Amino acid sequence: MARILLGVSGGIAAYKALELVRLATAAGHAVRVVQTPASQRFVGAASFAALTGAPVLTGEFEPDPARGAFPGDPAPDHDPLSHLELVRNADILVVAPATANTVAKLAAGLADNLLTSAALAATGPVLVAPAMNHHMWEHPATQANVATLRARGVVVLEPGSGRLASHGEEGAGRLPEPAALLHAIEALTRPVAPAPRPDLVGLRVLVTAGGTREPIDAVRFVGNRSSGRMGFALASEAAALGAAVTVVAANVALPRDARVTYVDVETAAELQAACAAAFAGSDVLLMAAAVADFRPARSFAGKLKKASEERMRVELERTPDILSGLAAARRPGQTVVGFAAEHGEGALDYGREKLARKGLDAVVVNDIARGDIGFDATDNEVTIITAAGETHIARAAKTQIARAVLDAVVDLRAGSGAAEPA
Ligand code: CTP
């Protein structure tokens, strides 16, 4: 799945961009559309909005109701500058159709509308699909602009030949067919499959992910904001590198990876039971789930009624510390990693304290005081604490953070071997 930012400029071929969006979304890609004002003379924003399921942007100062998020991703809680945020979140910027005027602006580095500003802010792959009258395409100015873009690493597709929109005109200038455009987009965004890591191949990795929900009654619960993204990223990354991965997933509504086995749970008690069943057969435990520390002491079978009460008291009791229990019961050779969501100053001290108190090989600490990383965000920034020291991993996509955690696991297992049971 790729996040495609599609810039549509004003040519008759803009109607083909609708078909491109339809094909791309049907293939599972998330698409956001930025239109130039001129393109709206050919195709209206409502059509793109309906096909993408997301707002369409035209003006640089127009707020983005989705705050730069792509369909399927959570919107941030702050209002970003739309063109920068959309481009930052995109895997690719595609300009289709690109008119002669837009090609010229891109070559000159102009930023006079949202599309050209986005192009200037793009740091990832940029694909340009020109469509114009054949005289305009063949003009030395256009050809020089295309050469400039290509020299900068922009992929500029050759337009197709044939009948053009202007009556009786034929030649090169047609927008490539939408299926061919999608093929080019997928070729540029396809993740390079990581080579299996010999030290992870066949390793049995147990991951917990998500957040537990502790019932108050049949419809209400005490829960937390964990989305499961970090745990799922760890699982997919470990599977991609060759490990045999089981995830105990507590209330995670994210896409599943066909290479991973999932066990779904809701409560801390269920998570504990699922871990108890799977832990003995695992070499590594990555305890990324946010387990409720407290749960309602009693849960009602039906739905509690308000009646005439002004207040309601829910008594909470401690849940068992699942991670400590597993770490204490481990056999030699098992590696146990905890995760600690800490708030602000002192985060690392708390992390070090948890490493010792829970008898772990590593603790992955992230600072939840920051709104741009952590819960439900696609990025994270962590410090991995082991007995040997600390490794800070600067802000990166959770898949890259996952890779760093797995590197630490490999180092731990290669070094002193896993710590002995406490
Ligand atoms: N954890 C667990 N069982 C619990 C609570 C937490 O297994 N009942 C695990 C989490 O999955 C995580 C690690 O313990 O890997 C750290 O969780 P955290 O809640 O930060 O630790 P606590 O010891 O509960 O410390 P705090 O006082 O900060 O809540």
Side-chain angles (χ1 to χ4, degrees):
M1 194 280 279
R3 294 176 184 81
I4 303 168
L5 178 57
L6 175 63
V8 179
S9 65
I12 184 72
Y15 77 92
K16 284 195 190 171
L18 287 176
E19 178 64 3
L20 170 61
V21 173
R22 197 189 63 75
L23 290 177
T25 51
H29 302 295
V31 185
R32 291 290 310 265
V33 172
V34 164
Q35 285 194 266
T36 63
S39 77
Q40 297 197 320
R41 290 170 173 260
F42 297 92
V43 181
S47 304
F48 286 114
L51 286 172
T52 57
V56 171
L57 302 183
T58 314
E60 286 170 279
F61 301 103
E62 168 194 2
D64 177 4
R67 295 178 163 171
F70 277 71
D73 289 340
D77 51 16
H78 64 285
D79 240 340
L81 283 177
S82 57
H83 54 284
L84 297 182
E85 191 65 8
L86 261 181
V87 165
R88 207 175 61 75
N89 291 332
D91 298 314
I92 186 167
L93 170 67
V94 179
V95 186
T99 60
N101 187 37
T102 290
V103 168
K105 289 191 214 173
L106 296 179
L110 286 183
D112 65 338
N113 61 33
L114 186 56
L115 192 164
T116 48
S117 300
L120 213 51
T123 53
V126 178
L127 176 71
V128 172
M132 62 195 73
N133 168 280
H134 66 119
H135 293 304
M136 294 169 90
W137 171 250
E138 284 152 13
H139 194 286
T142 302
Q143 289 301 311
N145 290 333
V146 167
T148 301
L149 289 174
R150 285 184 174 150
R152 266 186 222 144
V154 173
V155 178
V156 184
L157 296 181
E158 282 298 317
S161 289
R163 276 212 0 236
L164 299 175
S166 329
H167 187 69
E169 297 233 23
E170 281 202 25
R174 287 164 61 99
L175 186 72
E177 289 310 311
L181 286 174
L182 182 58
H183 187 74
I185 293 167
E186 288 181 336
L188 289 171
T189 54
R190 191 169 295 128
V192 183
R197 275 192 71 154
D199 25 24
L200 281 174
V201 173
L203 203 70
R204 295 162 303 169
V205 176
L206 175 63
V207 182
T208 66
T212 64
R213 293 178 178 176
E214 312 301 330
I216 297 171
D217 65 11
V219 293
R220 303 176 179 94
F221 57 81
V222 177
N224 63 70
R225 290 176 53 204
S226 176
S227 64
R229 278 180 205 283
M230 192 62 238
F232 272 30
L234 284 162
S236 285
E237 206 56 26
L241 294 170
V245 185
T246 299
V247 174
V248 178
N251 311 296
V252 183
L254 294 173
R256 307 255 156 146
D257 187 325
R259 301 165 295 193
V260 172
T261 304
Y262 295 90
V263 180
D264 283 290
V265 298
E266 285 186 19
T267 63
E270 289 169 11
L271 189 131
Q272 185 175 29
C275 287
F279 182 61
S282 306
D283 303 303
V284 176
L285 169 66
L286 305 174
M287 192 77 178
V291 184
D293 287 322
F294 291 91
R295 66 183 161 214
R298 281 178 308 279
S299 105
F300 291 81
K303 184 181 170 210
L304 281 168
K305 301 300 285 178
K306 277 192 292 302
S308 58
E309 309 296 331
E310 280 304 316
R311 283 169 194 274
M312 179 183 149
R313 198 176 285 273
V314 178
E315 196 190 341
L316 301 175
E317 66 179 16
R318 280 288 285 269
T319 56
D321 187 328
I322 302 168
L323 182 57
S324 294
L326 293 170
R330 73 171 132 174
R331 55 180 166 72
Q334 281 183 306
T335 309
V336 179
V337 179
F339 287 71
E342 303 291 354
H343 201 273
E345 242 172 80
L348 293 188
D349 290 337
Y350 286 125
R352 276 187 286 266
E353 184 272 327
K354 277 175 194 171
L355 183 80
R357 173 164 52 88
K358 301 196 182 205
L360 309 176
D361 297 300
V363 172
V364 181
V365 179
N366 72 323
D367 183 354
I368 51 170
R370 291 179 47 180
D372 54 339
I373 55 170
F375 288 125
D376 218 16
T378 49
D379 286 3
N380 209 350
E381 179 171 330
V382 303
T383 302
I384 303 171
I385 303 178
T386 66
E390 283 147 30
T391 314
H392 182 76
I393 315 294
R395 179 178 168 164
K398 283 183 176 170
T399 49
Q400 275 158 281
I401 302 287
R403 183 69 72 93
V405 171
L406 292 168
D407 283 344
V409 166
V410 167
D411 287 350
L412 276 166
R413 296 181 66 82
S416 55
E420 293 300 310

